[in-house]
Amino acid sequence: MAWADDGDGGDGDGDGDGDGDDGDDGSSSSSSSSSSSSGSRSGGKSGGIGTGETTLRDYRRNLRALFRGALPEPARQAARAQAPRAAPRPTEAPNEIIARGLNDVDAAALVAQGYGIIDRIDLVSLGVNIQRLSVPEGTTLDEARAAVQALPTGETADFNHYYRVEAEESRAPDEETSDPLPCEGLHCPARALIDWPNPLGPQGCGAPVTIGMIDTGINTDHSALTGAQVALTRVAPEDYNASSAIHGTAVAALLVGDPASRAPGLLPGVPLVAVDAFHKESGDERADAFTLVRGLDQLVGAGATVINLSLAGPPNSVLQETLAALEAAQTVVVVAAAGNGGPNAPPAYPAAYDSVIAVTAVDKAGGIYRRAGRGPHVDLAAPGVEVWTAASVQGARWKTGTSFAVPYVTAAVALWQQGNPGMTPAELRAALSQSAADLGAPGVDDIFGHGLLDLGGRCPVLGDAAILPVLAD
């Protein structure tokens, strides 16, 4: 299952942040999806069209002809059959188990059985530890997880699952723009759709808040982030290949981009604490559950009151328990992407957890993004189809995916927190749900959730009739 893959690999600047990405060069990319299954890896074999001796050049030529419709039907069918298949991406780290709250006695018992303690973090914000364990040779992951879960303090042990950002589609802009004034540029239609307050002062709606995000790296030298208060920390192991700055830069700019740049942010004067939890492995950009939990703890410790997770993956008990504990502490709201697996995909996590606000994406007309995940866990819809934000190196371009809908809800939560200090996560969720504009079938549904995010064109106030009474989940 491609939990979060819907796109073309970014900004058209290769695997990283290479030269030549001017952000609005008019290039667009084709979409593809890949799948993964737990514990398996396989790859297709490619050959020539018609004979096994066709050269690579002939093969490429035939493929180009296929897409031009120049080949006869038998050759087209052969091309489809012989096209290389990407190997499925792994769903978890090999030979690793993570455990939450494992005490010293149980940890020592595991070490005596041949397990190793690769890493341990003490979550200061929650007063609990997370341990990353290596599995003894000859022991399967299922056997290892069951063994750890059988221990008195190992109940929530799980695989070290991988999570991925929402790969985006990009397309050429419909028109050129230069240094737009607030709401006189390509970023305006998305804001108009949710009736975003305009103009906002440099600090938003009042009381100070700090936004947190876990994503890939960020190009903090980008012109869109000039003057922005962005504190970036990398928490992925140092011996891992660094992530790119494509996705993280786009998300950060949506949140706090310089209003004088080509990619103005929703809350340009609000501090952003960003954690790069991702790494690259064989062309796959991913973060594991252990590192995500480490990042969450760092963000809470840095004072973040709302956390943006534009990423998705499988369920994981350690991550679930950590997020539930954060909600119970009533200190932080977590917002995550509903995923780009398509309408028939299984729920994407962490968005599908009850403690998280799940966000889907709509276009400028309020239509659902065709690859958005669906289900009863979906809470809100926000702009996520062809939204205008920063490219990785310079300039700006269009981005599509549920990843890019999440920052709109994250920023809305921050506004609610600013105007109504002391609101609990449950109260904030209820306020957002009750003030949403209904879309699709009347009432709550699996496609749009409670409906489209709606700010009413002003700083939100708890006393608004539209959100009273406040209902807990």
Side-chain angles (χ1 to χ4, degrees), residues 167-263:
E168 65 273 11
E169 293 176 347
S170 300
R171 61 180 290 272
D174 295 326
E175 59 180 296
E176 296 293 333
T177 183
S178 60
D179 296 335
L181 295 173
C183 275
E184 293 184 2
L186 298 180
H187 62 291
C188 294
R191 299 190 187 190
L193 186 66
I194 60 174
D195 208 3
W196 186 258
N198 181 58
L200 276 173
Q203 300 303 321
C205 286
V209 298
T210 297
I211 297 174
M213 63 177 274
I214 300 179
D215 214 291
T216 68
I218 296 174
N219 177 11
T220 55
D221 293 327
H222 196 292
S223 59
L225 298 176
T226 299
Q229 301 178 58
V230 179
L232 175 64
T233 302
R234 183 169 184 256
V235 296
E238 289 301 321
D239 57 341
Y240 284 12
N241 294 323
S243 68
S244 69
I246 297 173
H247 194 272
T249 301
V251 172
L254 279 171
L255 288 168
V256 298
D258 189 330
S261 74
R262 300 190 60 200

Side-chain angles (χ1 to χ4, degrees), residues 34-358:
S34 62
S35 63
S36 61
S37 59
S38 178
S40 66
R41 293 176 177 82
S42 62
K45 296 181 179 180
S46 61
I49 300 175
T51 74
E53 299 178 355
T54 305
T55 66
L56 179 60
R57 180 178 300 174
D58 291 335
Y59 172 70
R60 290 173 173 168
R61 183 185 302 116
N62 286 335
L63 276 184
R64 287 194 295 269
L66 166 66
F67 289 110
R68 291 196 303 267
L71 289 179
E73 182 59 28
R76 284 199 296 271
Q77 293 177 356
R80 295 189 190 101
Q82 297 296 331
R85 294 181 181 273
R89 298 184 300 183
T91 57
E92 70 277 324
N95 306 317
E96 290 185 13
I97 297 292
I98 57 175
R100 182 177 187 273
L102 197 67
N103 66 21
D104 292 342
V105 173
D106 288 344
L110 289 171
V111 171
Q113 297 174 43
Y115 290 80
I117 300 178
I118 302 172
D119 199 359
R120 168 181 168 144
I121 52 176
D122 294 304
L123 305 184
V124 177
S125 60
L126 298 174
V128 68
N129 73 76
I130 306 291
Q131 298 191 46
R132 180 171 158 232
L133 310 171
S134 62
V135 176
E137 186 175 353
T139 303
T140 68
L141 278 179
D142 285 325
E143 292 169 343
R145 179 171 61 179
V148 180
Q149 289 176 342
L151 296 171
T153 59
E155 184 179 0
T156 61
D158 208 338
F159 303 149
N160 195 10
H161 287 111
Y162 288 136
Y163 296 80
R164 295 174 173 90
V165 294
E166 312 287 271
E168 65 273 11
E169 293 176 347
S170 300
R171 61 180 290 272
D174 295 326
E175 59 180 296
E176 296 293 333
T177 183
S178 60
D179 296 335
L181 295 173
C183 275
E184 293 184 2
L186 298 180
H187 62 291
C188 294
R191 299 190 187 190
L193 186 66
I194 60 174
D195 208 3
W196 186 258
N198 181 58
L200 276 173
Q203 300 303 321
C205 286
V209 298
T210 297
I211 297 174
M213 63 177 274
I214 300 179
D215 214 291
T216 68
I218 296 174
N219 177 11
T220 55
D221 293 327
H222 196 292
S223 59
L225 298 176
T226 299
Q229 301 178 58
V230 179
L232 175 64
T233 302
R234 183 169 184 256
V235 296
E238 289 301 321
D239 57 341
Y240 284 12
N241 294 323
S243 68
S244 69
I246 297 173
H247 194 272
T249 301
V251 172
L254 279 171
L255 288 168
V256 298
D258 189 330
S261 74
R262 300 190 60 200
L266 293 159
L267 294 173
V270 173
L272 174 65
V273 181
V275 167
D276 175 7
F278 284 76
H279 68 277
K280 285 185 178 180
E281 183 68 31
S282 302
D284 180 23
E285 194 162 59
R286 62 203 186 203
D288 59 67
F290 182 84
T291 307
L292 287 183
V293 171
R294 183 197 295 270
L296 287 169
D297 184 58
Q298 289 211 4
L299 291 178
V300 174
T305 55
V306 56
I307 296 176
N308 190 105
L309 300 179
S310 291
L311 50 88
N316 180 277
S317 59
V318 173
L319 181 60
Q320 179 182 15
E321 289 297 317
T322 301
L323 290 166
L326 288 177
E327 183 187 48
Q330 300 190 356
T331 57
V332 63
V333 177
V334 179
V335 188
N340 299 334
N344 298 317
Y349 295 85
Y353 290 131
D354 292 340
S355 56
V356 176
I357 297 177

Side-chain angles (χ1 to χ4, degrees), residues 366 381 433-445 448-454:
S433 299
Q434 293 178 40
S435 60
D438 192 27
L439 293 176
V444 183
D445 60 66
F448 302 100
H450 292 271
L452 180 66
L453 177 68
D454 187 353

